[in-house]
């Protein structure tokens, strides 16, 4: 396929920031790989929270060389791209679909949810003919095995991370800009989770820890209620109890969120995208998985645990599973699981670095996606 193939990505923001987070990462990485990209998004306000350069009032704008459009636009787009990405089964505008049917020379890809479950291997790449139109969409599954599409990781991420961590001026400026306290002697923790996370148990464990101090950084609007309840009163600024201080920081853009993960010793993350970013930050992390009906998410959690902890020593594996299970089950007693996990923290640190290197050695998703499209694109 021509290196400058045109790509249209369609994204509907269903809830939270995962849909737009994935779409924005994908769009920018395709541009870095020399593709022309238009990104159609139905909720520019949500988009603006993860990309400060975006003006949510403008229906069309170019950011990071991505042509960003509000969807649906009053004069819906009928100029069809060579590759059309429907993100997470969000559907396509009807006029656009009609134009695709008339032209019949673009490739339609359904970019799906990330999972470590083995069934993904069999579904990745499957075609799905449209019931009424002369069109076929192809399923593309991100994943951890070589039989999936891989992970949305920038090929130069390691260099960017090293440049930031080693630049004392940038490091200081980052702390100052977001009001992050500097305290060399304490462990920094970023805390991003769903509102049902058992936050009180975690804060109890940190506050009672006589062996070290803890600084927990909580993005604004995330877990505000739980933090307020635990301290009593206002959640803003920095509050302290026992060995714990908790600071509410702004909800930052996606690139700064990476930097936040890089400055922290431990990262609590959720969903899909922050979950991957924590892994490539190379620090111990705790995953709050997106809750699904019939507890389907627990199978997803178990599948990831099984691939992630295979090289861990039995007691480290047990501690990791114990905390991840307790963090994802609001009925669980969290404090003992936190203590067991902290007891093996230095070994988790070594394992997190090894896991990061393992992921970085794999072929990036965008390279896989471009090859996937080239192999399937209909001949004109
Ligand atoms: O927001 P999420 O819960 O999104 C979810 C999941 O993706 C879920 O699997 C999906 O089904 C659902 O959306 C629709 O969590 P996630 O995936 O981590 O996305 C959060 C995004 O927000 C990610 O791109 C990182 C970004 N972010 C920032 O840019 N700044 C911040 O301060 C924070 C906390 C996050």
């Amino acid at each position: 396929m021509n290196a400058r193939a045109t790509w249209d990505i369609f994204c509907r923001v269903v809830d939270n920031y995962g849909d737009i987070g994935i779409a924005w990462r994908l769009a920018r990485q395709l541009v870095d790989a020399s593709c022309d990209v238009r990104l159609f998004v139905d909720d520019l306000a949500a988009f603006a929270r993860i990309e400060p350069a975006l003006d949510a009032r403008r229906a069309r704008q170019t950011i990071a060389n991505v042509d960003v459009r509000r969807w649906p636009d009053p004069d819906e787009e009928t100029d069809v791209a060579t590759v059309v990405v429907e993100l997470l089964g969000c559907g396509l505008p009807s006029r656009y679909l009609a134009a695709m049917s008339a032209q019949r020379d673009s490739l339609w890809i359904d970019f799906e949810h990330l999972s470590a479950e083995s069934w993904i291997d069999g579904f990745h790449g499957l075609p799905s003919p449209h019931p009424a139109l002369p069109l076929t969409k192809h399923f593309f599954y991100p994943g951890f095995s070589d039989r999936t599409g891989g992970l949305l990781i920038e090929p130069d991420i390691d260099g960017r991370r090293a440049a930031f961590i080693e630049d004392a001026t940038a490091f200081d400026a980052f702390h100052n800009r977001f009001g992050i306290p500097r305290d060399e002697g304490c462990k920094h923790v970023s805390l991003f989770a769903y509102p049902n996370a058992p936050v009180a148990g975690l804060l109890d464990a940190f506050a009672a820890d006589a062996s070290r101090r803890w600084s927990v950084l909580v993005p604004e609007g995330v877990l505000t209620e739980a933090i307020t309840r635990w301290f009593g009163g206002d959640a803003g600024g920095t509050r302290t109890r026992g060995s714990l201080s908790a600071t509410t920081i702004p909800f930052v853009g996606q690139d700064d969120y990476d930097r936040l993960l890089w400055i922290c010793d431990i990262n609590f993350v959720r969903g899909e995208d922050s979950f991957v970013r924590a892994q490539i930050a190379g620090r111990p992390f705790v995953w709050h998985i997106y809750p699904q009906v019939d507890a389907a998410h627990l199978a997803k959690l178990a599948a990831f645990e099984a691939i992630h902890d295979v090289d861990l020593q039995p007691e480290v594996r047990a501690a990791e599973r114990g905390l991840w299970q307790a963090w994802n089950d609001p009925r669980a007693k969290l404090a003992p699981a936190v203590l067991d996990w902290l007891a093996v923290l230095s070994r988790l640190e070594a394992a997190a670095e090894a896991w990061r290197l393992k992921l970085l050695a794999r072929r990036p998703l965008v390279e896989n996606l471009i090859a996937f499209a080239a192999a399937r694109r209909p001949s004109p």
Side-chain angles (χ1 to χ4, degrees), residues 14-19 21-22 25 49-50 113 192 194 219 250-254 257 270-275 290:
V14 177
D15 62 2
N16 303 322
Y17 304 101
D19 315 88
I22 293 162
R25 225 176 265 299
R49 291 210 74 194
I50 63 153
H113 287 284
F192 184 38
Y194 296 108
F251 193 99
V252 295
Q254 216 173 33
Y257 183 62
R270 71 185 202 188
E272 286 182 33
D273 191 57
S274 58
F275 164 59
Y290 187 79

Side-chain angles (χ1 to χ4, degrees), residues 20 91 130 135 143-144 174 190 213 224 232 234 241 254 263 273 282 293 313 326 332 347 374:
I20 185 56
H130 192 280
L135 293 171
F144 294 88
F174 184 81
S190 76
R213 292 193 310 285
T224 307
D234 182 17
R241 185 189 295 175
Q254 216 173 33
I263 65 161
D273 191 57
V293 284
Q313 290 150 317
R347 283 188 281 168

Side-chain angles (χ1 to χ4, degrees), residues 344-357:
V344 297
L345 186 57
S346 60
R347 283 188 281 168
L348 286 165
E349 283 165 356
E353 178 60 10
W355 181 254
R356 178 179 84 87
L357 296 176

Side-chain angles (χ1 to χ4, degrees), residues 12-35:
R12 275 188 210 274
V13 177
V14 177
D15 62 2
N16 303 322
Y17 304 101
D19 315 88
I20 185 56
I22 293 162
W24 186 223
R25 225 176 265 299
L26 176 63
R28 289 193 291 167
Q29 291 183 29
L30 282 168
V31 164
D32 287 347
S34 300
C35 301

Side-chain angles (χ1 to χ4, degrees), residues 120-204:
I120 298 289
D121 291 358
F123 277 69
H124 176 61
L126 284 186
S128 168
H130 192 280
L133 300 171
L135 293 171
T136 297
K137 70 174 168 183
H138 300 261
F139 288 104
F140 184 94
Y141 278 89
F144 294 88
S145 93
D146 289 336
R147 296 182 59 199
T148 67
L151 298 171
L152 261 179
I153 300 175
E154 301 81 356
D156 63 345
I157 192 72
D158 223 10
R160 282 167 36 190
R161 174 176 171 269
F164 173 71
I165 290 174
E166 287 158 19
D167 179 345
T169 312
F171 200 79
D172 283 349
F174 184 81
H175 283 79
N176 295 339
R177 188 149 60 103
F178 298 117
I180 298 172
R182 292 300 298 265
D183 184 348
E184 304 298 338
C186 80
K187 290 268 182 205
H188 291 276
V189 179
S190 76
L191 189 53
F192 184 38
Y194 296 108
N196 67 335
V199 174
L202 182 72
L203 301 183
D204 286 343

Side-chain angles (χ1 to χ4, degrees), residues 15 33 35 51 66 140 162 164 173 192 206 211 263 266 270 286 288 291 300 316 359 375:
D15 62 2
C35 301
E51 177 45 70
V66 177
F140 184 94
F164 173 71
F192 184 38
F206 286 156
S211 62
I263 65 161
I266 296 168
R270 71 185 202 188
V286 180
H288 205 205
K300 228 171 154 175
V316 183
L359 296 189

Side-chain angles (χ1 to χ4, degrees), residues 91-111:
L92 296 177
S94 51
R95 278 187 60 202
Y96 193 95
L97 260 184
M100 275 169 74
S101 310
Q103 271 174 240
R104 296 195 195 187
D105 62 355
S106 49
L107 177 75
W108 182 4
I109 295 174
D110 185 332
F111 188 106

